[in-house]
Amino acid sequence: MEARTGHNLARRENIRRLLAPRHLMFAGGERNVEAIEIARRAGFPGRIMVVHPRRKEIAGIPCVPSVKDLDVAPDASFLNIPADATIEMVRELNEIGAGAAVLYAAGFSELPGIGQQRHRALVEAAGDMAIVGPNCFGVVNYVTGASLWNVPYMTDAGPRGAAIIGQSGNVCINLTQNQREVPFSYVISAGNQAVLGFEDYIDVLIDDPNVTAIGLFLEGIRDVPGFAAACARALEKEVPVVAFRVGVSELGAKLAASHTSSLAGQNELYDALFDHLGVMQTTSVPQFLELLKTASLWPKPRGRRLTVFSSSGGDNGMAADYASLAGLELPEPDAAQRAAVQALLPDYGIASNPLDFTAGYWGREDLLTPMFTEMMSRHYDQALLVIDHARPEVIPAPDKAHQAMVRSLASASRATGIPGAVACVNPESMPEVLRRMIIAEGLLPLQGIHDAGPVLGLWTAYAERCRRAEPVQVPFAVAPLDPVRARSLNEHASKTALAAFGLRVPEGRVVSLAELPQVVADMQGPFALKALHDDLLHKTEVGGVVLALADAPAVAAAAREMKARVEQNKPGLSLDRFLIEPMITDAVAELIVGVKRDAQFGLVLVVGAGGILVELLRDAERLLLPTSPQAVETAIRRLKSFKLLDGFRGRPRGDIAGAISAVMSIADYAAANRDTLLELDVNPLMVLPEGRGAVAADALIVSA
């Protein structure tokens, strides 16, 4: 972990003052009346001060004309004043030792020209102060009531729960209005992040006992190494981090020397970062809220085995589909369970998983409790009851039948120690009174079966990650390199460099045209012949590769033709050297393994379907370096083309352990050369049958 400097420690302390202030200061006119009333309604117990150059009082509080007239340096302030005045007041607050300030004003880094100038001036004026924004709504504080916020919000969702950090103030407002019983501790509108970024908030919130999970609504990350260090610490402390990222339309990969770059677009890099750090990524705001609720209210399940109950085959079918797609397992009950449950069902019922307890047992607590308890007594790790409630004008809530079924699941959960959840198919068909009863019974309310499956799948995977207790390696931070100074190693030099780190390569020879016949006579064919030149990156495109040559005469003839062809396609290039290698003829599958340098994300390792399938399938996984053999194996098994390695249609199984070892050798080379490496491309990596390893058939290294 990166050592914290005195500057960082001072700012961390000021973030704590922001979240647990003894006093609040408001600067601005009539618009601050609502903000002050919000803090009062939230129950803030400390002192409230107001600065205004002309007003005698605002919201019943006497005003002082300037910051210099305050008799105490406020822990936290809300500045609802114009942009230039904001900068000057931040400077004055910093000079008197104030802790933090929320800056409501816009007109900073979101604007070119004057906005950028203001941004720089603000950062200089702030010093070690904890600055929220500018261009933000502020902080909702459910823990102490110290809200610096000027829009009404529901105040009964705390004091313990998820902390949300969002780049959109309007989205933050809307999240506080949810009707899903998500508990909150803090909601922070981060705005332009002139001083404080996501990484700063996360690093402090991890240590707050009121924070059950951290939710991130973000467009991008300004400081990937800092963000990674904070999230790594969150994973180590088992504080769940949930992300919903917007602006994910693919911008396209930059053109570069290797295939690897085209397989590592911006979205994929965020996915790799979140996966590396154990950050759970959601695809919608409802799913985001449901997962934060789950992380805050539900224990970590012991495993993936789920049992589902409903009185509808349709509900059960949907639950099974969504759960299975999310990686959960729905095993059938064992013989003893089946017999016991069958005895409790009506004659037309069938003991299975999912279990249709039939409409005849709707609301029958006396019958459902022993049935649920028997199913949950063994072989399952979590349970889900699917019930929907009618509109209140049709069946007023609370409905006795629904309450009875919830109590049945709660009794079974307590008796077996298996966590239980109650889901509805339609997100809107779980009324507030039922949601709150479900929580009071120690269960989890999930709104929308289409989100319940992915949410339980993500939460289960997170629980597995925590149980593995693997040390989290923070991705390398790399300095930018000038691509103008790029130099590439030819294939033989690239393979030699990688072989020094344990990568297996063919036993090839570098020879001249005249030397070829004698050299080939001492080798076993068939042969691969390749043009070798430092300025020839893509040999195939200029006819610089010929395969399956049987003997010395065939090699010599191919070399003469290759020299003429390449020199015609690359005017000014003189081809004097060739690489001759024995061909690999019995590979089970081909992979591409590459490393891309990204100024924001560091070194990105790409593993995918290789050879001619690279551009056709674009089947690849990305990992950030440093990585581990376990992570590499997971990435390989995620590939759609993994079936080729796993004995597809009776073919031999590939040497997966050998492939992992080869990938780690490439990763080790990249780590050792991270100060100079621009790109690395091994394509294809030939994976041989089990027990015989993997061999790099081609390689390219570009350094600066």
Side-chain angles (χ1 to χ4, degrees):
M1 295 284 178
E2 180 186 1
R4 297 192 179 102
T5 64
H7 174 79
N8 290 334
L9 290 172
R11 188 163 288 161
R12 278 171 55 84
E13 180 55 35
N14 283 332
I15 297 173
R16 293 191 184 97
R17 291 174 71 183
L18 168 73
L19 299 179
R22 295 161 296 175
H23 19 65
L24 300 178
M25 187 275 281
F26 293 82
E30 198 66 26
R31 291 177 298 177
N32 271 340
V33 172
E34 181 63 21
I36 293 169
E37 291 301 329
I38 283 172
R40 285 170 168 166
R41 290 196 297 270
F44 175 64
R47 180 182 172 190
I48 297 178
M49 300 171 281
V50 179
V51 170
H52 194 282
R54 295 176 301 278
R55 294 281 295 267
K56 296 295 185 183
E57 63 82 28
I58 291 178
I61 300 171
C63 298
V64 298
S66 72
V67 166
K68 297 175 183 177
D69 296 304
L70 293 169
D71 60 359
V72 64
D75 284 335
S77 302
F78 186 82
L79 310 189
N80 193 350
I81 56 179
D84 292 325
T86 292
I87 297 169
E88 186 55 35
M89 186 168 287
V90 166
R91 189 183 308 279
E92 293 172 353
L93 286 167
N94 182 33
E95 289 172 352
I96 68 171
V102 168
L103 310 186
Y104 186 77
F108 289 85
S109 61
E110 75 275 14
L111 298 179
I114 184 63
Q116 299 298 322
Q117 296 173 25
R118 286 174 179 153
H119 169 83
R120 291 189 291 270
L122 172 63
V123 172
E124 185 274 329
D128 289 331
M129 283 185 67
I131 299 297
V132 184
N135 191 22
C136 73
F137 277 89
V139 178
V140 176
N141 192 323
Y142 289 91
V143 179
T144 66
S147 292
L148 295 168
W149 193 261
N150 62 0
V151 180
Y153 64 91
M154 299 297 293
T155 60
D156 62 348
R160 189 169 188 272
I164 288 181
I165 312 158
Q167 281 178 269
S168 166
N170 191 63
V171 170
C172 287
I173 291 169
N174 294 336
L175 293 176
T176 68
Q177 308 293 334
N178 80 87
Q179 299 178 50
R180 294 173 178 269
E181 308 307 316
V182 183
F184 290 128
S185 50
Y186 309 97
V187 177
I188 301 171
S189 169
N192 292 8
Q193 302 180 79
V195 174
L196 297 181
F198 282 92
E199 66 281 0
D200 299 299
Y201 297 116
I202 294 168
D203 194 43
V204 172
L205 292 169
I206 292 165
D207 299 321
D208 191 322
N210 298 292
V211 174
T212 55
I214 298 173
L216 311 176
F217 183 90
L218 72 167
E219 299 167 13
I221 299 169
R222 66 173 196 176
D223 176 8
V224 169
F227 177 86
C231 288
R233 200 165 75 84
L235 183 58
E236 289 172 358
K237 295 195 69 172
E238 297 191 21
V239 178
V241 180
V242 179
F244 176 52
R245 191 169 72 86
V246 296
V248 297
S249 56
E250 187 56 68
L251 300 177
K254 294 180 180 178
L255 295 176
S258 73
H259 290 296
T260 299
S261 287
S262 68
L263 296 174
Q266 193 78 354
N267 288 331
E268 290 83 4
L269 297 185
Y270 273 102
D271 293 343
L273 178 68
F274 292 155
D275 189 58
H276 188 95
L277 299 170
V279 174
M280 294 173 278
Q281 190 170 189
T282 56
T283 58
S284 67
V285 168
Q287 197 178 94
F288 177 69
L289 288 167
E290 291 296 301
L291 186 51
L292 286 173
K293 176 170 59 178
T294 301
S296 298
L297 298 179
W298 220 45
K300 299 183 188 73
R302 295 193 297 254
R304 293 180 170 269
R305 300 171 302 177
L306 172 71
T307 182
V308 177
F309 313 126
S310 88
S311 65
S312 162
D315 289 355
N316 280 339
M318 284 187 285
D321 285 347
Y322 289 120
S324 297
L325 289 171
L328 298 174
E329 301 167 2
L330 288 90
E332 286 296 318
D334 63 25
Q337 279 176 305
R338 186 178 292 107
V341 171
Q342 192 67 56
L344 296 168
L345 285 168
D347 294 341
Y348 53 87
I350 299 174
S352 62
N353 184 36
L355 175 64
D356 181 351
F357 56 77
T358 76
Y361 281 19
W362 181 263
R364 293 292 305 272
E365 185 175 356
D366 56 328
L367 299 173
L368 294 178
T369 299
M371 191 183 305
F372 294 168
T373 303
E374 179 61 40
M375 281 290 284
M376 295 165 63
S377 63
R378 56 192 181 279
H379 304 313
Y380 297 108
D381 306 303
Q382 45 191 300
L384 180 68
L385 171 64
V386 184
I387 52 174
D388 280 54
H389 200 287
R391 290 172 63 95
E393 58 265 35
V394 177
I395 300 178
D399 174 66
K400 291 182 179 179
H402 288 80
Q403 291 179 314
M405 290 183 286
V406 169
R407 286 194 300 268
S408 292
L409 184 64
S411 296
S413 179
R414 286 189 290 268
T416 62
I418 300 300
V422 180
C424 53
V425 173
N426 297 315
E428 68 274 16
S429 67
M430 187 181 288
E432 178 182 6
V433 66
L434 189 62
R435 298 195 301 264
R436 296 195 171 189
M437 179 201 170
I438 290 168
I439 293 171
E441 289 285 351
L443 305 173
L444 173 69
L446 291 171
Q447 289 166 251
I449 195 68
H450 57 289
D451 283 330
V455 163
L456 294 180
L458 287 166
W459 186 233
T460 301
Y462 177 79
E464 292 174 346
R465 179 80 177 259
C466 290
R467 282 195 297 274
R468 291 198 301 269
E470 299 169 353
V472 184
Q473 302 182 86
V474 176
F476 293 132
V478 297
L481 296 177
D482 184 0
V484 174
R485 299 175 53 203
R487 61 181 184 85
S488 60
L489 298 183
N490 63 47
E491 179 179 342
H492 182 258
S494 295
K495 286 178 173 176
T496 301
L498 291 167
F501 284 80
L503 182 65
R504 183 177 163 194
V505 300
E507 296 181 3
R509 301 279 298 276
V510 177
V511 295
S512 66
L513 184 61
E515 295 169 327
L516 265 173
Q518 182 59 44
V519 170
V520 172
D522 297 330
M523 298 174 66
Q524 181 70 41
F527 302 102
L529 179 70
K530 303 176 184 180
L532 196 66
H533 196 286
D534 290 345
D535 295 332
L536 198 59
L537 300 185
H538 300 296
K539 300 181 292 293
T540 304
E541 296 173 3
V542 294
V545 178
V546 179
L547 304 177
L549 297 169
D551 51 28
V555 170
R560 289 191 294 269
E561 294 172 4
M562 181 182 293
K563 177 177 173 64
R565 185 168 56 245
V566 169
E567 290 178 352
Q568 180 181 2
N569 289 328
K570 297 285 287 187
L573 184 146
S574 178
L575 181 61
D576 301 315
R577 293 183 302 161
F578 299 85
L579 177 63
I580 184 73
E581 294 177 335
M583 277 193 63
I584 301 163
T585 58
D586 57 348
V588 171
E590 299 180 2
L591 297 177
I592 178 175
V593 184
V595 178
K596 175 185 186 295
R597 187 186 197 90
D598 185 273
Q600 187 178 13
F601 292 88
L603 296 180
V604 184
L605 178 72
V606 178
V607 182
I612 63 172
L613 299 180
V614 172
E615 299 298 342
L616 179 63
L617 296 184
R618 299 187 65 80
D619 175 24
E621 292 289 326
R622 297 99 189 150
L623 299 166
L624 301 185
L625 296 183
T627 190
S628 66
Q630 294 80 10
V632 170
E633 179 174 4
T634 299
I636 290 174
R637 291 182 179 275
R638 282 179 181 168
L639 296 173
K640 294 188 286 289
S641 55
F642 175 72
K643 291 179 180 179
L644 295 175
L645 285 170
D646 202 31
F648 183 65
R649 292 193 173 181
R651 297 177 61 189
R653 283 173 51 85
D655 193 336
I656 297 170
I660 295 167
S661 177
V663 174
M664 288 304 300
S665 295
I666 296 167
D668 290 343
Y669 173 87
N673 293 274
R674 61 182 177 273
D675 292 336
T676 57
L677 181 66
L678 276 172
E679 293 190 69
L680 189 161
D681 201 29
V682 173
N683 181 35
L685 176 70
M686 314 291 280
V687 183
L688 304 179
E690 235 172 349
R692 294 181 53 199
V695 183
D698 197 358
L700 170 67
I701 294 173
V702 183
S703 301

